[in-house]
Amino acid sequence: MRGAVLALALVAAGAAPVLAQRSREVRDVPWYQARPQVLEETLRWCHRDARLAATWDCQNAEAAGASRMGRPLPNTLPRAGQDRQAPPVDSSGLPEPGFNPRTNPLGYSNLRNACATRGPGSDVLTPYCYQLDRYRDGASGGR
Protein backbone atom coordinates (compact mmCIF):
# COMPACT_ATOMS: atom_id res chain seq x y z
CA MET A 1 0.00 0.00 0.00
CA ARG A 2 2.81 2.36 0.90
CA GLY A 3 4.47 1.59 -2.44
CA ALA A 4 1.30 2.49 -4.36
CA VAL A 5 0.94 5.81 -2.52
CA LEU A 6 4.60 6.58 -3.08
CA ALA A 7 4.29 5.76 -6.80
CA LEU A 8 1.16 7.90 -7.07
CA ALA A 9 2.94 10.78 -5.34
CA LEU A 10 5.89 10.51 -7.75
CA VAL A 11 3.58 10.49 -10.77
CA ALA A 12 1.72 13.52 -9.42
CA ALA A 13 4.99 15.36 -8.76
CA GLY A 14 6.22 14.57 -12.27
CA ALA A 15 2.99 15.72 -13.88
CA ALA A 16 2.75 18.96 -11.89
CA PRO A 17 5.12 21.00 -14.12
CA VAL A 18 3.30 19.82 -17.24
CA LEU A 19 -0.07 20.75 -15.79
CA ALA A 20 1.26 24.06 -14.47
CA GLN A 21 2.21 25.23 -17.95
CA ARG A 22 -0.41 27.49 -19.35
CA SER A 23 -1.70 26.20 -22.66
CA ARG A 24 -0.98 28.84 -25.25
CA GLU A 25 -3.10 29.19 -28.32
CA VAL A 26 -1.36 28.47 -31.59
CA ARG A 27 -1.30 31.51 -33.83
CA ASP A 28 -1.72 31.03 -37.57
CA VAL A 29 0.17 32.59 -40.48
CA PRO A 30 -2.27 35.48 -41.14
CA TRP A 31 -2.11 36.43 -37.45
CA TYR A 32 1.69 36.78 -37.69
CA GLN A 33 1.47 38.62 -41.03
CA ALA A 34 -0.78 41.23 -39.42
CA ARG A 35 1.67 41.75 -36.53
CA PRO A 36 5.22 42.18 -37.89
CA GLN A 37 6.75 43.14 -34.52
CA VAL A 38 5.41 39.99 -32.86
CA LEU A 39 6.60 38.00 -35.87
CA GLU A 40 10.16 39.31 -35.50
CA GLU A 41 10.18 38.59 -31.78
CA THR A 42 8.82 35.08 -32.31
CA LEU A 43 11.39 34.34 -35.03
CA ARG A 44 14.22 35.46 -32.74
CA TRP A 45 12.79 33.26 -29.99
CA CYS A 46 12.50 30.27 -32.34
CA HIS A 47 15.99 30.74 -33.81
CA ARG A 48 17.63 30.87 -30.38
CA ASP A 49 16.45 27.36 -29.44
CA ALA A 50 16.46 24.61 -32.05
CA ARG A 51 14.05 22.52 -29.98
CA LEU A 52 11.33 25.10 -30.63
CA ALA A 53 11.56 24.74 -34.41
CA ALA A 54 9.08 21.87 -34.36
CA THR A 55 6.38 23.85 -32.55
CA TRP A 56 3.36 25.06 -34.50
CA ASP A 57 4.01 28.67 -33.51
CA CYS A 58 7.53 28.60 -34.89
CA GLN A 59 6.46 26.89 -38.10
CA ASN A 60 3.67 29.43 -38.64
CA ALA A 61 6.02 32.32 -37.86
CA GLU A 62 8.56 30.95 -40.36
CA ALA A 63 5.84 30.68 -43.02
CA ALA A 64 4.72 34.25 -42.33
CA GLY A 65 8.32 35.43 -42.54
CA ALA A 66 8.84 33.58 -45.81
CA SER A 67 5.73 35.20 -47.28
CA ARG A 68 7.47 38.60 -46.94
CA MET A 69 10.35 37.58 -49.19
CA GLY A 70 10.70 39.70 -52.28
CA ARG A 71 8.88 42.67 -50.78
CA PRO A 72 10.77 45.83 -49.84
CA LEU A 73 11.20 46.50 -46.16
CA PRO A 74 9.02 49.34 -44.92
CA ASN A 75 10.62 52.75 -44.35
CA THR A 76 14.06 51.81 -45.64
CA LEU A 77 14.44 54.71 -48.09
CA PRO A 78 14.72 58.23 -46.72
CA ARG A 79 11.81 60.46 -47.60
CA ALA A 80 12.07 63.97 -48.98
CA GLY A 81 12.18 66.54 -46.21
CA GLN A 82 14.14 64.32 -43.85
CA ASP A 83 17.82 64.83 -43.11
CA ARG A 84 18.75 63.46 -46.56
CA GLN A 85 17.17 63.82 -49.93
CA ALA A 86 15.43 60.80 -51.38
CA PRO A 87 17.64 59.06 -53.95
CA PRO A 88 16.77 59.63 -57.60
CA VAL A 89 14.67 56.93 -59.21
CA ASP A 90 14.81 55.42 -62.68
CA SER A 91 11.92 54.86 -65.11
CA SER A 92 10.72 51.79 -63.20
CA GLY A 93 10.49 53.68 -59.92
CA LEU A 94 13.48 51.92 -58.33
CA PRO A 95 16.45 53.84 -56.92
CA GLU A 96 19.01 54.28 -59.65
CA PRO A 97 22.40 52.63 -59.13
CA GLY A 98 25.20 54.68 -57.68
CA PHE A 99 28.49 54.78 -59.55
CA ASN A 100 30.49 56.76 -57.01
CA PRO A 101 34.12 55.69 -57.55
CA ARG A 102 34.84 55.94 -53.83
CA THR A 103 32.02 53.58 -52.76
CA ASN A 104 31.70 51.53 -55.97
CA PRO A 105 35.01 51.58 -57.87
CA LEU A 106 34.24 48.49 -59.95
CA GLY A 107 30.85 49.86 -60.98
CA TYR A 108 32.44 53.20 -61.91
CA SER A 109 35.11 51.58 -64.09
CA ASN A 110 32.51 49.35 -65.77
CA LEU A 111 30.33 52.38 -66.47
CA ARG A 112 33.29 54.35 -67.85
CA ASN A 113 34.25 51.46 -70.16
CA ALA A 114 30.66 50.87 -71.31
CA CYS A 115 30.14 54.55 -72.12
CA ALA A 116 33.47 54.77 -73.95
CA THR A 117 33.10 51.65 -76.11
CA ARG A 118 29.31 51.26 -76.36
CA GLY A 119 29.93 47.68 -77.34
CA PRO A 120 27.68 44.65 -77.02
CA GLY A 121 26.24 44.24 -73.55
CA SER A 122 26.71 47.88 -72.60
CA ASP A 123 23.04 48.72 -73.16
CA VAL A 124 22.36 48.07 -69.48
CA LEU A 125 24.82 50.76 -68.34
CA THR A 126 24.62 53.42 -71.06
CA PRO A 127 21.46 55.07 -69.64
CA TYR A 128 23.63 56.08 -66.67
CA CYS A 129 26.51 57.66 -68.61
CA TYR A 130 25.45 61.07 -67.32
CA GLN A 131 26.74 60.00 -63.89
CA LEU A 132 30.32 60.13 -65.20
CA ASP A 133 30.03 63.92 -65.17
CA ARG A 134 29.11 63.81 -61.47
CA TYR A 135 32.29 61.96 -60.55
CA ARG A 136 35.01 63.52 -62.70
CA ASP A 137 37.57 60.75 -63.25
CA GLY A 138 37.55 59.22 -59.82
CA ALA A 139 36.56 62.25 -57.77
CA SER A 140 34.18 61.37 -54.99
CA GLY A 141 31.56 64.00 -55.65
CA GLY A 142 28.31 63.67 -53.80
CA ARG A 143 24.96 62.74 -55.15
Side-chain angles (χ1 to χ4, degrees):
M1 178 76 169
R2 275 188 157 176
V5 172
L6 183 60
L8 185 61
L10 287 175
V11 169
V18 174
L19 296 174
Q21 288 182 351
R22 189 171 55 105
S23 66
R24 204 175 115 188
E25 70 179 64
V26 175
R27 298 176 175 120
D28 59 355
V29 174
W31 189 91
Y32 281 112
Q33 288 173 333
R35 295 162 181 85
Q37 290 176 333
V38 176
L39 172 63
E40 291 300 323
E41 181 181 328
T42 304
L43 287 174
R44 276 194 301 274
W45 178 68
C46 294
H47 293 166
R48 275 194 300 251
D49 190 351
R51 295 172 294 174
L52 299 173
T55 63
W56 289 109
D57 271 337
C58 288
Q59 290 180 11
N60 289 339
E62 289 287 350
S67 70
R68 298 182 306 183
M69 291 174 62
R71 292 189 206 154
L73 294 174
N75 301 325
T76 54
L77 294 176
R79 295 187 180 148
Q82 287 183 344
D83 57 342
R84 287 182 19 196
Q85 267 188 320
V89 295
D90 62 9
S91 60
S92 65
L94 296 172
E96 65 181 25
F99 293 101
N100 186 335
R102 187 178 53 164
T103 58
N104 186 5
L106 182 61
Y108 179 79
S109 66
N110 287 340
L111 178 66
R112 188 177 56 209
N113 292 338
C115 293
T117 61
R118 299 206 184 250
S122 65
D123 296 345
V124 175
L125 294 174
T126 52
Y128 302 106
C129 287
Y130 69 91
Q131 287 199 21
L132 290 175
D133 295 335
R134 277 191 202 163
Y135 310 111
R136 294 171 278 242
D137 250 342
S140 61
R143 259 190 149 160

